[in-house]
């Protein structure tokens, strides 16, 4: 669906992290709905490098961009020479900044702060020089275990990932006071949907449970999963939020969730219903107690007012829409 009337003819759009989950969905949104826009994807793509937790350093994957016809640059946002080239050789109208160490369990504080915060500042400077509106990915991880509903101004990050995103928001708030461009930080809650498969074990539990069920394994949940609640948001609503954020009523930091908390047990039950199974669930102790979010629910009043954002998918309808893709991935990638 097209979310703005402007054709964006000849507009130059940079998407950092464009080979990842959300970035690649944005790239295809523009290709489909605004074919006259010029989209440049910048991503470091996956190499073999892993973090100390065993996960890949970058999850970008060429398969997320199969069929994308715009320009693709393999590069690191920490590379100042590359950013200088982007500044001199292009003139962007919009920057969607999705590139990050997106793994919330990563322990490398040095890499996290450098990549998520310091490189973002360089991109913000580039945006100001180009007079490009900036839309960047913040996160519900900024709230940590702060009480629901989560509201901007009541943050309590529990890990360095959440800290890095909150620091991006603080940095942005300073720039918002003086910059001529609009700057919008989107605090995504738990996003699920197409093109997340290559995030491996950091992909959403919707996908992971879906594949457990399709392989006829009993879904494995943490004990008390009917009481572990999160605000799960479908990718289509996240794309809509990004597009509306291109011309916000006001620069700012906005929650992007449904405004409703649902349990991990709900996910499994909806999936089993959709897939026609009745596998028995297995429950295991939660090893993350103390650094785990037990209840998230976005307060989206200001997002509605400031962006015209309105979530359209309930967990039921989001999963239903996603099921064919979960099945396709199972057939082509998992089996
Ligand atoms: N998916 C979610 O539920 C969620 C929730 C909150 C916030 N976010 C944030 O949204 C953004 C997009 O998340 P995603 O789910 O698409 O994750 P993702 O890991 O699929 O996408 C991030 C992309 O950034 C790239 N990248 C990493 N380091 C880079 C570097 N140094 N230079 C260039 N590219 C680099 C990766 O290769 C990857 O393709 C991230 O900033 C993430 O922190 C995501």
């Amino acid at each position: 669906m097209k979310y703005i009337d402007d054709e964006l003819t000849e507009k130059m759009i940079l998407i950092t992290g464009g080979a990842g989950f959300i970035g690649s969905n944005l790239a295809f949104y523009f290709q489909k709905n605004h074919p006259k826009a010029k989209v440049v994807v910048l991503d470091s793509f996956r190499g073999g490098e892993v973090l100390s937790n065993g996960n890949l350093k970058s999850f970008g994957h060429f398969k997320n961009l199969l069929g994308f016809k715009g320009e693709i640059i393999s590069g690191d946002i920490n590379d100042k020479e590359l950013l200088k080239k982007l500044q001199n050789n292009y003139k962007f109208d919009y920057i969607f900044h999705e590139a990050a160490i997106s793994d919330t369990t990563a322990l490398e504080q040095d890499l996290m702060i450098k990549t998520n915060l310091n490189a973002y500042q360089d991109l913000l400077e580039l945006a100001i020089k180009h007079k490009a509106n900036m839309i960047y990915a913040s996160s519900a991880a900024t709230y940590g275990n702060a009480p629901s509903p989560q509201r901007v101004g009541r943050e309590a990050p529990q890990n360095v990932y959440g800290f890095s995103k909150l620091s991006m928001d603080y940095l942005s708030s300073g720039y918002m006071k003086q910059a001529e461009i609009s700057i919008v930080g989107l605090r995504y809650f738990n996003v699920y949907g197409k093109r997340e498969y290559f995030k491996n074990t950091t992909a959403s539990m919707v996908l992971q449970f879906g594949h457990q069920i399709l392989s006829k394994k009993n879904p494995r949940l943490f004990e008390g999963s009917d009481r572990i609640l999160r605000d799960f948001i479908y990718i289509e609503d996240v794309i809509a939020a990004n597009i509306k954020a291109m011309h916000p009523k006001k620069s700012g930091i906005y929650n992007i969730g449904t405004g409703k908390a649902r349990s991990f047990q709900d996910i499994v039950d909806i999936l089993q219903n959709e897939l026609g199974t009745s596998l028995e669930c297995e429950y295991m102790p939660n090893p993350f107690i103390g650094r785990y979010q037990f209840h998230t629910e976005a307060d989206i009043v200001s997002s509605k007012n400031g962006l015209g954002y309105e979530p359209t998918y309930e967990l039921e309808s989001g999963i239903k829409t996603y099921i064919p893709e979960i099945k396709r991935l199972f057939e082509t990638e998992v089996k």
Side-chain angles (χ1 to χ4, degrees):
M1 205 180 133
K2 198 170 167 193
Y3 297 110
I4 43 167
D5 291 334
D6 191 340
E7 296 293 333
L8 302 176
T9 305
E10 297 297 315
K11 296 290 182 208
M12 284 220 91
I13 296 168
L14 174 65
I15 305 174
T16 71
F21 170 32
I22 296 170
S24 60
N25 278 292
L26 271 171
F28 280 103
Y29 167 83
F30 287 115
Q31 181 161 297
K32 183 165 175 226
N33 298 291
H34 305 272
K36 291 177 185 147
K38 293 187 172 169
V39 179
V40 178
V41 156
L42 166 64
D43 200 291
S44 51
F45 289 85
R46 64 185 53 202
E49 214 176 327
V50 289
L51 302 175
S52 59
N53 63 6
N55 291 340
L56 281 173
K57 186 175 159 198
S58 315
F59 292 115
H61 199 297
F62 80 90
K63 284 193 181 175
N64 285 335
L65 288 172
L66 276 176
F68 172 69
K69 301 192 184 87
E71 188 175 344
I72 300 172
I73 302 170
S74 173
D76 191 324
I77 53 168
N78 295 306
D79 178 351
K80 290 189 189 283
E81 282 303 309
L82 172 65
L83 295 193
K84 209 176 282 168
K85 273 191 205 150
L86 290 178
Q87 189 178 302
N88 294 338
N89 300 345
Y90 295 80
K91 168 75 180 65
F92 295 114
D93 297 290
Y94 301 93
I95 298 180
F96 291 86
H97 176 49
E98 304 296 327
I101 303 289
S102 65
D103 180 351
T104 59
T105 66
L107 297 169
E108 282 78 356
Q109 302 195 8
D110 47 355
L111 184 69
M112 187 77 86
I113 306 287
K114 190 165 88 162
T115 308
N116 292 9
L117 178 64
N118 301 150
Y120 168 58
Q121 183 162 15
D122 293 339
L123 282 159
L124 203 42
E125 292 287 347
L126 190 158
I128 288 167
K129 291 211 174 80
H130 281 196
K131 295 195 166 50
N133 284 356
M134 169 64 88
I135 303 99
Y136 73 93
S138 179
S139 171
T142 52
Y143 295 116
N145 219 6
S148 287
Q150 283 75 34
R151 232 169 252 147
V152 176
R154 296 200 314 206
E155 298 82 6
Q158 284 170 303
N159 52 34
V160 65
Y161 171 79
F163 172 83
S164 74
K165 292 287 179 179
L166 182 56
S167 303
M168 289 172 79
D169 295 341
Y170 288 155
L171 177 78
S172 303
S173 299
Y175 275 86
M176 282 174 204
K177 290 186 190 120
Q178 340 145 1
E180 284 173 46
I181 58 168
S182 65
I183 303 171
V184 174
L186 298 175
R187 285 192 178 161
Y188 307 140
F189 279 61
N190 282 65
V191 191
Y192 63 98
K194 197 171 178 178
R195 301 193 180 91
E196 65 165 315
Y197 175 74
F198 295 105
K199 290 179 73 177
N200 304 348
T201 56
T202 74
S204 78
M205 289 315 294
V206 173
L207 182 62
Q208 298 193 48
F209 285 138
H211 286 169
Q212 280 177 29
I213 293 167
L214 285 169
S215 44
K216 307 265 184 300
K217 289 187 193 135
N218 292 346
R220 285 172 60 77
L221 296 108
F222 290 141
E223 286 164 354
S225 277
D226 54 337
R227 282 169 284 118
I228 306 178
L229 284 83
R230 296 274 173 88
D231 191 328
F232 299 101
I233 178 86
Y234 190 55
I235 185 69
E236 192 60 35
D237 283 333
V238 168
I239 298 305
N242 270 276
I243 304 310
K244 301 214 161 140
M246 292 168 79
H247 293 285
K249 275 198 202 128
K250 206 168 150 246
S251 288
I253 291 143
Y254 296 101
N255 284 340
I256 301 302
T258 60
K260 288 182 190 141
R262 302 294 301 270
S263 73
F264 285 96
Q265 188 68 55
D266 285 338
I267 294 180
V268 170
D269 294 347
I270 296 167
L271 282 165
Q272 295 233 63
N273 188 37
E274 288 295 333
L275 295 169
T277 56
S278 48
L279 296 160
E280 206 168 306
C281 294
E282 285 175 18
Y283 297 94
M284 55 187 173
N286 183 346
F288 302 113
I289 285 176
R291 47 200 168 99
Y292 199 70
Q293 290 178 302
F294 278 91
H295 194 291
T296 68
E297 183 183 305
D299 181 330
I300 52 173
V301 174
S302 70
S303 319
K304 288 181 178 181
N305 293 337
L307 302 177
Y309 163 75
E310 194 68 60
T312 57
Y313 286 85
E314 298 281 335
L315 189 57
E316 282 78 0
S317 53
I319 291 181
K320 196 180 185 60
T321 311
Y322 190 17
I323 285 279
E325 176 64 5
I326 295 177
K327 286 185 179 165
R328 187 194 69 80
L329 285 165
F330 185 72
E331 293 302 323
T332 56
E333 302 288 346
V334 180
K335 256 187 174 175

